[in-house]
């Protein structure tokens, strides 16, 4: 029974979540493209939105980049570069901690604004509220996993020897669930919550993150001329 649960969580579930992300995103853009928007509530309240949004977006982009680097770059490569394992982990904790706490501060401000400002709350959908709560949970889990479960409770744990390898195996369709059996519990919950966010990503306002304004880079420049006085 336990093996069946582990196989589902670390072999089947990631593909279900990624399938929902990929096909849900394609369907959202193909069928409901007009609804792909952040639905800004800036007109209802601006100060908290600006502070929270800047902190959260800078922090979460740094966090995402750190996750990508931690997963895609194997330990053998940093060993080849001559980077000691202790130095790598200290750097990851420092940079990840700064980014994580920035993202957490930003999301706390945005969540406080969404739940306490009556006008903002009334214009929020259920998915909007769930997005805020979900990000608060996953950020807290990530920080707790790094600074409590990893650094204090299991200082010998090195995610690059199991979790990262398992994550890379997903992309070649051969994940070994045995690797995840060695991972501390908070890391496991963090991973599951991360895949859940990927799963419901296309059905919320989060999908606006994929609508980068490329047209502003490639369009012809607009020339503004001052109207001559008559």
């Amino acid at each position: 029974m336990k093996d069946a649960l582990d196989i589902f969580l670390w072999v089947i579930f990631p593909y279900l979540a990624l399938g929902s992300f990929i096909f849900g995103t394609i369907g959202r853009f193909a069928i409901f493209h007009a609804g792909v928007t952040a639905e800004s509530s800036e007109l209802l309240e601006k100060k908290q939105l600006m502070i929270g949004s800047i902190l959260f977006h800078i922090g979460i982009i740094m966090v995402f980049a750190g996750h990508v680097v931690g997963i895609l770059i194997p330990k053998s490569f940093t060993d080849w570069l001559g980077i000691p394992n202790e130095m790598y982990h200290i750097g990851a904790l420092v940079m990840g901690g700064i980014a994580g706490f920035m993202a957490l501060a930003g999301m706390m401000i945005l969540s406080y604004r969404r739940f306490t400002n009556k006008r903002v709350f009334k214009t929020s959908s259920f998915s909007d509220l769930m997005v805020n709560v979900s990000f608060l949970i996953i950020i807290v889990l990530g920080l707790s996993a790094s600074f409590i479960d990893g650094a204090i409770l299991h200082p010998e744990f090195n995610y690059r020897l199991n979790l990262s390898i398992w994550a890379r195996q997903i992309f070649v369709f051969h994940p070994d669930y045995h690797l995840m059996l060695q991972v501390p519990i908070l890391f496991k919950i963090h991973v599951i919550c991360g895949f859940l966010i990927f799963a419901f990503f296309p059905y919320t306002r989060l999908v606006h993150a994929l609508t980068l304004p490329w047209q502003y880079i490639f369009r012809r420049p607009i020339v503004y001329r001052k109207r001559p006085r008559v």
Side-chain angles (χ1 to χ4, degrees), residues 140-207:
V140 170
L141 279 171
L143 291 171
S144 300
S146 297
F147 290 95
I148 298 177
D149 210 352
I152 299 176
L153 299 180
H154 301 90
E156 76 287 350
F157 172 66
N158 188 346
Y159 68 90
R160 295 193 295 165
L161 299 179
N162 38 59
L163 200 160
S164 292
I165 296 175
W166 167 81
R168 290 196 296 271
Q169 290 175 344
I170 291 177
F171 296 101
V172 296
F173 302 100
H174 191 65
D176 181 6
Y177 76 94
H178 294 95
L179 291 170
M180 290 301 293
L181 303 182
Q182 311 165 26
V183 177
I185 186 63
L186 285 181
F187 283 91
K188 290 181 178 180
I189 299 175
H190 180 63
V191 170
I192 292 172
C193 289
F195 275 110
L196 285 174
I197 287 181
F198 272 104
F200 68 68
F201 183 97
Y203 318 108
T204 67
R205 67 168 61 203
L206 290 175
V207 75

Side-chain angles (χ1 to χ4, degrees), residues 74-84 160:
K75 183 177 181 297
S76 58
F77 181 75
T78 54
D79 290 343
W80 178 76
L81 292 176
I83 301 175
R160 295 193 295 165

Side-chain angles (χ1 to χ4, degrees), residues 32-168:
F32 305 104
H33 188 270
V36 179
T37 173
E39 299 178 358
S40 176
S41 57
E42 181 178 348
L43 295 177
L44 302 179
E45 194 283 327
K46 186 173 183 179
K47 185 177 180 180
Q48 292 178 343
L49 175 64
M50 293 301 295
I51 297 173
S53 183
I54 291 173
L55 284 172
F56 172 72
H57 282 91
I58 294 177
I60 206 67
I61 290 173
M62 292 173 61
V63 167
F64 182 76
H67 279 64
V68 171
V69 170
I71 290 174
L72 296 185
I73 297 182
K75 183 177 181 297
S76 58
F77 181 75
T78 54
D79 290 343
W80 178 76
L81 292 176
I83 301 175
N85 191 55
E86 293 76 13
M87 182 183 296
Y88 177 91
H89 280 287
I90 291 174
L93 282 175
V94 172
M95 296 303 297
I98 293 173
F101 282 108
M102 282 183 63
L104 178 61
M107 184 48 62
M108 288 178 68
I109 293 172
L110 294 175
S111 298
Y112 176 82
R113 171 183 178 272
R114 186 169 295 281
F115 281 92
T116 62
N117 187 301
K118 293 182 179 180
R119 294 193 299 171
V120 175
F121 182 79
K122 288 183 178 179
T123 58
S124 301
S125 65
F126 177 75
S127 67
D128 294 336
L129 302 177
M130 289 305 300
V131 164
N132 282 59
V133 173
S134 298
F135 269 104
L136 281 174
I137 292 174
I138 195 170
I139 294 172
V140 170
L141 279 171
L143 291 171
S144 300
S146 297
F147 290 95
I148 298 177
D149 210 352
I152 299 176
L153 299 180
H154 301 90
E156 76 287 350
F157 172 66
N158 188 346
Y159 68 90
R160 295 193 295 165
L161 299 179
N162 38 59
L163 200 160
S164 292
I165 296 175
W166 167 81
R168 290 196 296 271

Side-chain angles (χ1 to χ4, degrees), residues 206-217:
L206 290 175
V207 75
H208 83 276
L210 302 178
T211 58
L212 296 176
W214 298 112
Q215 66 272 19
Y216 291 106
I217 300 176

